[in-house]
Short mmCIF file of all heavy atoms in Angstrom, two decimals:
data_model
loop_
_atom_site.label_atom_id
_atom_site.label_comp_id
_atom_site.label_asym_id
_atom_site.label_seq_id
_atom_site.Cartn_x
_atom_site.Cartn_y
_atom_site.Cartn_z
N MET A 28 105.15 83.29 95.31
CA MET A 28 104.22 83.59 94.23
C MET A 28 102.91 82.83 94.35
O MET A 28 102.89 81.67 94.75
CB MET A 28 104.87 83.24 92.88
CG MET A 28 106.11 84.05 92.60
SD MET A 28 106.91 83.49 91.08
CE MET A 28 108.16 84.74 90.91
N ASP A 29 101.85 83.49 93.96
CA ASP A 29 100.54 82.87 93.85
C ASP A 29 100.60 81.81 92.74
O ASP A 29 101.37 81.95 91.79
CB ASP A 29 99.51 83.95 93.50
CG ASP A 29 98.09 83.46 93.55
OD1 ASP A 29 97.62 82.91 92.52
OD2 ASP A 29 97.46 83.62 94.60
N ASP A 30 99.80 80.76 92.85
CA ASP A 30 99.76 79.72 91.82
C ASP A 30 99.40 80.28 90.45
O ASP A 30 99.77 79.71 89.42
CB ASP A 30 98.76 78.62 92.18
CG ASP A 30 99.23 77.79 93.37
OD1 ASP A 30 100.44 77.82 93.69
OD2 ASP A 30 98.37 77.12 93.98
N GLU A 31 98.69 81.40 90.42
CA GLU A 31 98.27 82.01 89.16
C GLU A 31 99.19 83.17 88.75
O GLU A 31 98.78 84.07 88.02
CB GLU A 31 96.83 82.49 89.27
CG GLU A 31 95.86 81.35 89.49
CD GLU A 31 94.42 81.81 89.64
OE1 GLU A 31 94.11 82.99 89.32
OE2 GLU A 31 93.61 81.00 90.10
N ILE A 32 100.44 83.11 89.19
CA ILE A 32 101.40 84.18 88.89
C ILE A 32 101.44 84.49 87.39
O ILE A 32 101.36 83.58 86.56
CB ILE A 32 102.82 83.80 89.38
CG1 ILE A 32 103.84 84.92 89.10
CG2 ILE A 32 103.31 82.49 88.77
CD1 ILE A 32 103.65 86.16 89.89
N GLU A 33 101.52 85.77 87.10
CA GLU A 33 101.74 86.24 85.73
C GLU A 33 102.90 87.22 85.81
O GLU A 33 102.83 88.20 86.55
CB GLU A 33 100.49 86.92 85.19
CG GLU A 33 100.67 87.41 83.77
CD GLU A 33 99.42 88.04 83.22
OE1 GLU A 33 98.48 87.30 82.89
OE2 GLU A 33 99.39 89.29 83.15
N PHE A 34 103.97 86.94 85.07
CA PHE A 34 105.19 87.73 85.15
C PHE A 34 105.59 88.21 83.76
O PHE A 34 105.72 87.40 82.83
CB PHE A 34 106.31 86.88 85.76
CG PHE A 34 107.63 87.59 85.87
CD1 PHE A 34 107.71 88.89 86.34
CD2 PHE A 34 108.79 86.94 85.54
CE1 PHE A 34 108.94 89.54 86.45
CE2 PHE A 34 110.03 87.57 85.64
CZ PHE A 34 110.09 88.87 86.11
N LEU A 35 105.77 89.52 83.63
CA LEU A 35 106.17 90.11 82.35
C LEU A 35 107.50 90.84 82.52
O LEU A 35 107.54 92.02 82.86
CB LEU A 35 105.09 91.06 81.83
CG LEU A 35 105.35 91.63 80.44
CD1 LEU A 35 105.54 90.54 79.39
CD2 LEU A 35 104.21 92.55 80.04
N PRO A 36 108.61 90.13 82.28
CA PRO A 36 109.92 90.77 82.33
C PRO A 36 110.32 91.25 80.94
O PRO A 36 109.71 90.87 79.93
CB PRO A 36 110.84 89.62 82.77
CG PRO A 36 110.22 88.42 82.12
CD PRO A 36 108.72 88.68 82.16
N VAL A 37 111.37 92.02 80.86
CA VAL A 37 111.90 92.47 79.58
C VAL A 37 112.32 91.26 78.74
O VAL A 37 112.16 91.24 77.52
CB VAL A 37 113.08 93.45 79.80
CG1 VAL A 37 113.76 93.80 78.50
CG2 VAL A 37 112.59 94.70 80.52
N THR A 38 112.82 90.22 79.39
CA THR A 38 113.24 88.99 78.69
C THR A 38 112.12 88.43 77.81
O THR A 38 112.39 87.86 76.75
CB THR A 38 113.71 87.94 79.71
OG1 THR A 38 114.81 88.48 80.45
CG2 THR A 38 114.17 86.65 79.03
N ALA A 39 110.88 88.61 78.20
CA ALA A 39 109.76 88.10 77.41
C ALA A 39 109.73 88.70 76.01
O ALA A 39 109.29 88.03 75.06
CB ALA A 39 108.44 88.36 78.13
N ASN A 40 110.21 89.91 75.85
CA ASN A 40 110.27 90.51 74.51
C ASN A 40 111.20 89.73 73.59
O ASN A 40 111.00 89.71 72.37
CB ASN A 40 110.72 91.97 74.59
CG ASN A 40 109.71 92.84 75.29
OD1 ASN A 40 108.53 92.59 75.26
ND2 ASN A 40 110.20 93.88 75.94
N LEU A 41 112.20 89.07 74.16
CA LEU A 41 113.17 88.32 73.37
C LEU A 41 112.82 86.84 73.25
O LEU A 41 113.35 86.16 72.37
CB LEU A 41 114.56 88.43 74.03
CG LEU A 41 115.10 89.85 74.20
CD1 LEU A 41 116.36 89.83 75.05
CD2 LEU A 41 115.37 90.48 72.85
N THR A 42 111.96 86.33 74.12
CA THR A 42 111.73 84.88 74.18
C THR A 42 110.30 84.45 73.87
O THR A 42 110.10 83.36 73.35
CB THR A 42 112.11 84.34 75.56
OG1 THR A 42 111.32 84.99 76.55
CG2 THR A 42 113.59 84.54 75.85
N THR A 43 109.32 85.24 74.24
CA THR A 43 107.92 84.81 74.08
C THR A 43 107.12 85.79 73.23
O THR A 43 105.90 85.70 73.20
CB THR A 43 107.23 84.68 75.45
OG1 THR A 43 107.12 85.98 76.04
CG2 THR A 43 107.96 83.74 76.38
N GLY A 44 107.80 86.71 72.58
CA GLY A 44 107.08 87.72 71.81
C GLY A 44 106.29 88.68 72.67
O GLY A 44 105.30 89.25 72.23
N GLY A 45 106.73 88.85 73.91
CA GLY A 45 106.06 89.78 74.81
C GLY A 45 104.92 89.17 75.60
O GLY A 45 104.22 89.89 76.32
N VAL A 46 104.73 87.87 75.51
CA VAL A 46 103.68 87.19 76.26
C VAL A 46 104.21 86.90 77.67
O VAL A 46 105.33 86.40 77.83
CB VAL A 46 103.27 85.87 75.56
CG1 VAL A 46 102.27 85.10 76.40
CG2 VAL A 46 102.72 86.17 74.18
N PRO A 47 103.43 87.20 78.71
CA PRO A 47 103.90 86.95 80.08
C PRO A 47 104.13 85.46 80.36
O PRO A 47 103.52 84.60 79.73
CB PRO A 47 102.74 87.46 80.95
CG PRO A 47 101.94 88.33 80.08
CD PRO A 47 102.11 87.82 78.69
N TYR A 48 104.99 85.19 81.31
CA TYR A 48 105.18 83.85 81.84
C TYR A 48 104.07 83.62 82.86
O TYR A 48 103.83 84.49 83.71
CB TYR A 48 106.54 83.72 82.51
CG TYR A 48 107.70 83.84 81.55
CD1 TYR A 48 108.31 85.07 81.31
CD2 TYR A 48 108.21 82.71 80.91
CE1 TYR A 48 109.39 85.18 80.43
CE2 TYR A 48 109.29 82.82 80.04
CZ TYR A 48 109.87 84.05 79.81
OH TYR A 48 110.94 84.16 78.95
#
Side-chain angles (χ1 to χ4, degrees):
M28 298 175 173
D29 188 274
D30 291 341
E31 296 179 14
I32 181 69
E33 181 178 285
F34 179 45
L35 185 57
V37 173
T38 300
N40 294 330
L41 302 171
T42 59
T43 67
V46 175
Y48 294 92

